[in-house]
Amino acid sequence: MVQINHLTGALSWLGRQGTRAVAALVIIGIAAPPLGTLFKPLVTETIFVLLCFAFMRVDMVAFRAYLKRPGLVLAATAWTSVLVPLVFASGCLGLGLPAQSPHLFLALMLQAIASPIMAAPAFASLIGLDAALVLATLITSTAIIPLTAPLFASLFLGPALSLAPLDLGLKLSAILAGSALVGFGARRVFGLAAIERRADAINGGNIIFLFIFVAAIMENVADRFLAAPLFTLALIVLAFAIYLALLLLSVLIFWRTGRERALALGFLSSQRNMGLMLAATGGALPELTWLYFALAQFPIYLGPYLLQPLARRLLNRNGRRR
């Protein structure tokens, strides 16, 4: 019992570190390549566990509140699930990327096709954004990805993706349905009140599994940087540029709904769940695609830490939010 209390205390402390712990994951993952080698075979399982954590803590009251006024949620879902992939595809095709760098094109399109990360509501809450709106849009976007992902994969990727579009949709459905079943089952067994009492410890466990995922995909980043520093830096700049472009474009599109909602939806749209695509493809992706996915974690996990002061200032945290 004493050991369990110590473990729970350690997890709770880790969970209270919030955005700082999330940002540190990337640095530690790069600095410890042997851990990446150890964890790489566990990517699919790790993503599944992270999804279970997310479904276990879904705030159904907040979700139902937005569903009573579904207009904004439907518009945001259409943007992040349908229009974003079309924008990516138009840009990539216009630049001739499929011919010039098919593996980078594959990475960018899988990024665009992906739904937002399941941790987005928790990150939004840490920053001070409308987590309920983020949650509602996340659930609807995730629910339709088994339909949208195969469609866009068939339209734009074709033979570039080793997995058939139908198989991609089936695997996504299995991962999401299985994790939802486990997550909601745990919620029913333990009760929402008990889960909320242990929120910090659960956050700590979530961070540990996030670290396993980040370490796994960061396995070769240090070596690739030493071998081709300029190319690696260029990919990092590209990842940040796409992250910021999605964030700002989404904020502009939804600005009339209010600055807090616009920033929340911008943040959600920029947090693409590339890990889910890795899990669905079983990691059977070209080396350059893997490398871009790894480097694209920099803005995803550093973003909440970097955006927190800006969000507080923009939303006038000490006064009335607009």
Side-chain angles (χ1 to χ4, degrees):
M1 182 63 72
V2 174
Q3 291 179 336
I4 293 176
N5 289 336
H6 283 317
L7 176 60
T8 302
L11 289 175
S12 298
W13 175 85
L14 182 60
R16 288 193 293 270
Q17 302 313 302
T19 57
R20 290 172 295 181
V22 172
L25 296 179
V26 176
I27 308 302
I28 300 172
I30 294 174
L35 290 178
T37 304
L38 177 65
F39 293 144
K40 193 170 184 177
L42 302 175
V43 166
T44 299
E45 292 80 1
T46 301
I47 294 299
F48 183 85
V49 173
L50 289 170
L51 289 170
C52 291
F53 274 127
F55 280 118
M56 182 174 65
R57 302 188 64 189
V58 165
D59 186 343
M60 296 306 297
V61 175
F63 176 58
R64 292 191 190 100
Y66 265 104
L67 287 187
K68 292 178 181 178
R69 295 174 290 125
L72 180 58
V73 172
L74 292 177
T77 301
W79 164 247
T80 193
S81 301
V82 179
L83 296 179
V84 165
L86 292 176
V87 169
F88 267 65
S90 300
C92 291
L93 293 173
L95 293 172
L97 197 60
Q100 295 178 23
S101 183
H103 294 170
L104 180 59
F105 173 64
L106 174 62
L108 294 177
M109 285 309 304
L110 287 177
Q111 179 182 16
I113 290 171
S115 57
I117 64 173
M118 295 297 288
F123 287 169
S125 180
L126 288 172
I127 296 173
L129 301 176
D130 188 344
L133 174 59
V134 170
L135 172 67
T137 308
L138 169 67
I139 290 176
T140 53
S141 301
T142 302
I144 66 172
I145 192 175
L147 301 175
T148 57
L151 173 62
F152 288 121
S154 177
L155 286 174
F156 299 115
L157 296 177
L161 185 64
S162 60
L163 192 67
L166 179 59
D167 291 338
L168 176 64
L170 291 174
K171 287 195 173 185
L172 285 169
S173 298
I175 292 169
L176 292 170
S179 57
L181 182 64
V182 173
F184 287 133
R187 179 193 183 103
R188 185 174 184 84
V189 169
F190 297 109
L192 183 59
I195 291 171
E196 289 304 315
R197 284 198 303 270
R198 293 167 177 79
D200 287 338
I202 293 172
N203 287 339
N206 202 56
I207 288 172
I208 288 175
F209 281 96
L210 278 174
F211 172 69
I212 294 173
F213 167 69
V214 171
I217 64 171
M218 293 288 178
E219 176 193 13
N220 296 320
V221 167
D223 290 341
R224 286 300 301 265
F225 180 79
L226 293 174
L230 293 180
F231 179 72
T232 307
L233 283 174
L235 285 181
I236 293 174
V237 170
L238 176 63
F240 271 97
I242 289 175
Y243 180 90
L244 291 173
L246 270 177
L247 175 67
L248 294 175
L249 183 58
S250 303
V251 168
L252 288 175
I253 287 174
F254 292 101
W255 186 255
R256 289 191 175 184
T257 66
R259 64 176 64 178
E260 181 177 0
R261 289 176 173 175
L263 188 55
L265 292 174
F267 175 75
L268 173 75
S269 298
S270 63
Q271 302 280 113
R272 316 301 289 188
N273 195 348
M274 287 167 275
L276 180 60
M277 307 311 291
L278 275 176
T281 57
L285 297 172
E287 184 181 353
L288 177 57
T289 306
W290 261 95
L291 178 62
Y292 177 78
F293 273 20
L295 298 177
Q297 306 309 305
F298 278 84
I300 287 177
Y301 291 104
L302 295 176
Y305 181 75
L306 298 174
L307 287 173
Q308 192 171 42
L310 174 63
R312 286 174 175 173
R313 187 178 299 113
L314 180 64
L315 300 175
N316 190 18
R317 192 178 69 126
N318 294 325
R320 181 180 178 182
R321 291 184 179 180
R322 294 187 286 273

